[in-house]
Amino acid sequence: MLVYARFTSRLKSASLKIRDRSMRLSKYFLPVLKETPADATIASHRYMLRAGMIKQNSAGIYTWLPLGHRVLKKIEQIVREEQDKAGAIEMLMPTIQSADLWKETGRYDAYGPEMLRITDRHDREMLYGPTNEDMITDVFRSFVRSYKDLPKNLYHIQWKFRDETRPRFGVMRGREFMMKDAYSFDLTEEDAVKSYNKMFTAYLNTFARLGIKAVPMKADTGPIGGELSHEFVILAESGESEVFCHRDLVEMAPPGDVDFDGDLSHIFEERTALYAATEEMHDAEEFAKIPADKQLTARGIEVGHIFYFGDKYSKPMKATVMDSDGKPQPVMMGSYGIGVSRLVGGIIEACHDENGIVWPKSVAPFGVGIINLKANDEDCAAAASDFYEKCKAAGLDPLYDDSSDRGGVKFSRMDLIGLPYQIIIGPRGLKEGIVEVKDRATGERQNLSPDAAMTLLTEAFA
RNA sequence: CGGGGCGUAGCGCAGCCUGGUAGCGCAUCUGUUUUGGGAACAGAGGGUCGCAAGUUCGAAUCUUGCCGCCCCGACCA
């Protein structure tokens, strides 16, 4: 009993501390590949395999190895924080759903072979959820009765499965993928548009925090249905579809701190006043009206998609609330998706060079990589270890390469995994009391005292 | 789902056309010398050649069927 009490009290105190995310390479699991796997053709897939982030299990299905998992979780957390800021409420729905709800909306037949259908031991029809409109509508109708409880926006971050005919490009078009999907509920279309604008705004901030430029574009609604829809698209050569937009949209600053309870229509209008459309929605005549030097035709990666679809699901599923006149009204809905696992690949497509990945600071698996050039030299080991402990204490999430590999191996491995900063500690510099700081993105190197290097790092991550 | 390609050691590949019982590079293990941009030498281990059937004295190699994976297109977070 005493032992148990002591154990639980230790757990309690541990949970109060911020999780220690630092790591010594000798203790980590980082299976990097020297040679490029034959199956990978695009940069993000190649680098994810080479950097030991993922392992393929079958077509479009991947294991997330420790390094990849770190990035996935970082992206997930940023997405979560921005959803919360916008007033969305997190929950969690299951991956396996009953076919019954899908029959209510008619989607069980409409969805087609892309939906993975399963029968359980009692021969009940089940499915691995490709999306959750039907299920969330059921949750809503089970509990909400009054217009006074609106608006509401519920979201979860959960694995989805879509049995694509042709999964490809690693996690960019996997069959199993992690998605953040939010669902808004309003009494009127006018209110629903406000909810739509909240998510529209939150998405602009989310992608900016992730270190990428995602442009909202007028989009086709597809099988989800509805009238108002935008895709958020990263421009990259390896993009799957062609997109067209006004060049100014690409560099537009994110809204930043806004009052999500206030009027956000100006943000929506500012971003949609200029032309931007995906291939399916492209209007060549409208596009031609843009000044020639502002016309941008590019390849795009869809990382987010938002829809307004009114009562498409609430009507067949009888998800109604009483309005102020005491009359039942079908609730007006929208859904808002972000491809969390796809973003890992998408960010790499936007952020890499010939040596490997160049992570934006916000999503980097570790903040700083420490290279001890001479592991068997006592002074070097002591200096590197000391620097590691200081980074750890400063919350910089350091990865300390304490392996006995040769310098060249360490350099190329660190470049490959793409941490924003490298601290290179070797006998040569140490004699003069300096360490080398390398900025992965620019390649710029500075010789600094360990203290000055720490200052540079803490300021960079402030 | 239409078209194309590929499955041989952990990874990248050769061998297959013209059947004779498997090889190269990297990686791994041991040792020595090295150590600021993927070291050198010496030695060692590791493969029912995707699976199954057939042809044959004999199959990685020829035939048929199946499975898996990749690429191009049509569809999608």
Side-chain angles (χ1 to χ4, degrees), chain A residues 71-222:
Chain A
V71 177
L72 186 68
K73 287 290 158 183
K74 284 214 163 182
I75 294 171
E76 184 186 322
Q77 185 55 23
I78 289 173
V79 170
R80 172 177 293 117
E81 286 170 17
E82 294 302 319
Q83 288 297 111
D84 292 348
K85 275 187 206 166
I89 304 160
E90 188 172 13
M91 60 185 293
L92 186 61
M93 290 178 271
T95 55
I96 306 289
Q97 307 185 23
S98 157
D100 294 350
L101 293 173
W102 289 70
K103 287 179 177 167
E104 271 192 66
T105 57
R107 283 216 289 177
Y108 195 61
D109 296 324
Y111 217 93
E114 213 175 277
M115 182 155 75
L116 182 65
R117 294 149 205 265
I118 314 164
T119 47
D120 70 9
R121 66 196 300 163
H122 303 295
D123 248 3
R124 283 185 290 238
E125 292 175 285
M126 313 292 283
L127 57 99
Y128 195 120
T131 179
N132 287 66
E133 281 83 5
D134 317 75
M135 186 173 271
I136 195 72
T137 306
D138 179 55
V139 170
F140 183 88
R141 72 176 172 186
S142 300
F143 301 113
V144 183
R145 296 279 172 271
S146 163
Y147 76 99
K148 290 177 187 167
D149 292 322
L150 300 183
K152 279 284 176 287
N153 184 324
L154 299 170
Y155 78 97
H156 74 339
I157 302 173
Q158 175 66 293
W159 294 97
K160 306 288 187 288
F161 194 92
R162 292 184 191 174
D163 199 0
E164 301 269 351
T165 47
R166 195 184 151 211
R168 66 193 114 157
F169 304 145
V171 300
M172 300 271 283
R173 177 165 297 285
R175 291 194 291 170
E176 187 185 53
F177 59 97
M178 173 85 89
M179 180 162 90
K180 184 286 299 179
D181 41 325
Y183 303 90
S184 65
F185 303 88
D186 288 278
L187 181 63
T188 64
E189 177 163 344
E190 194 190 340
D191 288 345
V193 168
K194 286 182 190 161
S195 293
Y196 187 92
N197 288 346
K198 282 187 195 178
M199 286 293 111
F200 187 95
T201 304
Y203 276 33
L204 294 171
N205 282 335
T206 302
F207 295 122
R209 266 189 77 188
L210 293 171
I212 50 176
K213 289 163 187 158
V215 179
M217 300 192 177
K218 208 184 220 182
D220 195 12
T221 54

Side-chain angles (χ1 to χ4, degrees), chain A residues 266-283:
Chain A
H266 62 284
I267 294 170
F268 177 82
E269 269 147 33
E270 181 190 39
R271 306 286 164 151
T272 51
L274 297 173
Y275 185 88
T278 59
E279 214 166 359
E280 313 85 66
M281 300 297 282
H282 183 50
D283 180 342

Side-chain angles (χ1 to χ4, degrees), chain A residues 6-61:
Chain A
R6 206 184 299 147
F7 181 65
T8 51
S9 85
R10 206 165 65 204
L11 278 181
K12 274 180 201 156
S13 67
S15 70
L16 292 175
K17 285 183 212 152
I18 292 167
R19 186 174 173 197
D20 179 14
R21 306 282 295 163
S22 58
M23 186 60 67
R24 282 173 189 263
L25 187 63
S26 60
K27 298 193 171 162
Y28 201 42
F29 187 78
L30 186 69
V32 299
L33 305 177
K34 195 167 174 180
E35 281 174 283
T36 301
D39 286 347
T41 52
I42 66 165
S44 62
H45 192 195
R46 282 201 311 266
Y47 286 144
M48 286 184 77
L49 290 167
R50 284 199 53 210
M53 294 177 67
I54 50 170
K55 179 192 186 307
Q56 182 170 14
N57 295 93
S58 62
I61 300 179

